[in-house]
Amino acid sequence: MLVVSEEVREALAARRPVVALESTIIAHGLPRPRNLQVARELEEAVRQEGAVPATIAVLDGRPHIGLGKEQLERVASEDGIRKLGHRDLPPAVAGGASGATTVSATALLASLAGVRVFATGGLGGVHRQWTVTQDESADLGLLARTRITVVCAGVKSILDVPATLQRLETLGVTVAGYGTDRFPGFYLSDSGHPVDWTLTTPEEVAEVMRAQNTLRMPESALIVANPVPEEEQLDPELHARVLADALHACEAEGVTGQAVTPFLLDYLVRHTDGASLRANLAAVRGNVRLAARIATAWTRM
């Protein structure tokens, strides 16, 4: 059922490095035509590091691992492209739907195809006021049962970061800071919370990946939390002020459920004059490059 591109298939067969990339940022995360430019830029960044990009999406009911030029353009420009989490994959496949994959769907499909490293921006997590809403991203549960290494800039700062870290610990998902003992906060280099483990080279990450296999650990992910450089992060004072305003606006307008995250992220972009988007893209670029280096170290092991 998986459609693996010829380039990705040959790379996997030859044990060359491959990096999975999600497609939601292309279809839903950026305005047109900037979204297609960024998609191409991220794939090129993977190639510059000596790895093969595998952007993942579902097209006409078929999950694709690696997109061609026309397919990438379709995801970026076609109206009606759905947003697919892993729970949406069965009806999307059965119904012949087309959709961009979120973190959970990308991680699952990448793992099924044999891709071990995945780069994204920020993970989903436990939402604020969880005790009232019981709102938690599907990312966490999926990563607790999927063997993949996810390079990210922590979790989105609009979430309850300490509760998310606690949930990951409960689920048995290993979290390590890359070159830091602090957990990054997506737009921010430091969320204000520590991590238990620090890794400093791609080879060290690959060693942990090998140890997961050697120890026959449960099929859970390894999260490599890679902070956005301080000089490219969103100003922390601006972030705190605008996020507080965004949360008040969200409550005042009665936004709930799945609409909360896009509302808050859009509010941040508009009220920081695009600075939050620039920090987001800086984080993604760094994560993509690091993921390619990790994938290379993994294939050499």
Side-chain angles (χ1 to χ4, degrees):
M1 185 176 293
L2 296 182
V3 180
V4 182
S5 73
E6 182 178 358
E7 182 184 26
V8 172
R9 185 171 62 250
E10 290 178 353
L12 291 173
R15 286 196 54 78
R16 301 203 324 268
V18 177
V19 175
L21 302 172
E22 65 170 292
S23 50
T24 295
I25 189 174
I26 306 170
H28 303 288
L30 296 168
R32 301 172 184 169
R34 180 69 172 130
N35 58 344
L36 181 57
Q37 295 169 353
V38 169
R40 290 170 174 164
E41 177 187 340
L42 297 180
E43 288 202 344
E44 180 58 27
V46 173
R47 296 186 195 283
Q48 288 176 355
E49 295 292 340
V52 172
T55 302
I56 295 177
V58 177
L59 298 174
D60 302 317
R62 304 191 72 185
H64 287 255
I65 315 300
L67 300 181
K69 178 182 177 182
E70 292 182 358
Q71 293 169 327
L72 199 64
E73 292 173 352
R74 180 181 173 187
V75 172
S77 61
E78 184 176 297
D79 293 330
I81 294 286
R82 299 179 66 113
K83 185 176 181 180
L84 304 178
H86 71 279
R87 71 168 188 169
D88 304 307
L89 293 175
V93 169
S98 296
T101 53
T102 64
V103 167
S104 67
T106 304
L108 176 60
L109 292 173
S111 179
L112 290 174
V115 178
R116 186 67 184 268
V117 182
F118 166 34
T120 186
L123 298 181
V126 177
H127 286 246
R128 295 167 188 252
Q129 298 184 329
W130 182 89
T131 54
V132 176
T133 65
Q134 301 286 290
D135 194 354
E136 174 186 313
S137 171
D139 294 355
L140 305 186
L142 190 282
L143 294 177
R145 55 183 185 273
T146 304
R147 180 55 52 77
I148 196 163
T149 296
V150 183
V151 182
C152 65
V155 299
K156 297 178 178 68
S157 55
I158 61 175
L159 302 172
D160 188 329
V161 177
T164 300
L165 287 169
Q166 181 60 57
R167 185 72 176 130
L168 287 167
E169 179 182 345
T170 299
L171 291 170
V173 178
T174 301
V175 178
Y178 190 80
T180 180
D181 61 359
R182 310 296 293 174
F183 190 66
F186 192 41
Y187 301 121
L188 305 176
S189 300
D190 183 355
S191 69
H193 302 277
V195 290
D196 293 327
W197 297 98
T198 300
L199 302 171
T200 59
T201 66
E203 289 73 23
E204 287 183 2
V205 177
E207 287 286 359
V208 175
M209 294 165 62
R210 180 164 67 174
Q212 284 182 309
N213 291 356
T214 303
L215 293 169
R216 298 184 181 179
M217 297 290 290
E219 293 292 311
S220 60
L222 167 63
I223 294 175
V224 179
N226 182 40
V228 62
E230 287 189 12
E231 63 272 16
E232 295 186 282
Q233 71 174 340
L234 181 61
D235 178 73
E237 292 185 2
L238 176 63
H239 172 270
R241 183 174 70 253
V242 175
L243 178 56
D245 292 343
L247 292 168
H248 287 307
C250 188
E251 183 176 359
E253 296 184 27
V255 179
T256 59
Q258 291 185 337
V260 170
T261 294
F263 176 90
L264 294 176
L265 295 179
D266 178 67
Y267 191 100
L268 281 166
V269 171
R270 289 186 289 109
H271 291 81
T272 62
D273 293 325
S276 66
L277 180 58
R278 290 191 291 274
N280 180 359
L281 292 177
V284 175
R285 292 187 190 102
N287 295 341
V288 163
R289 289 191 290 267
L290 176 57
R293 295 167 192 158
I294 291 169
T296 298
W298 174 244
T299 56
R300 289 174 177 169
M301 189 162 288

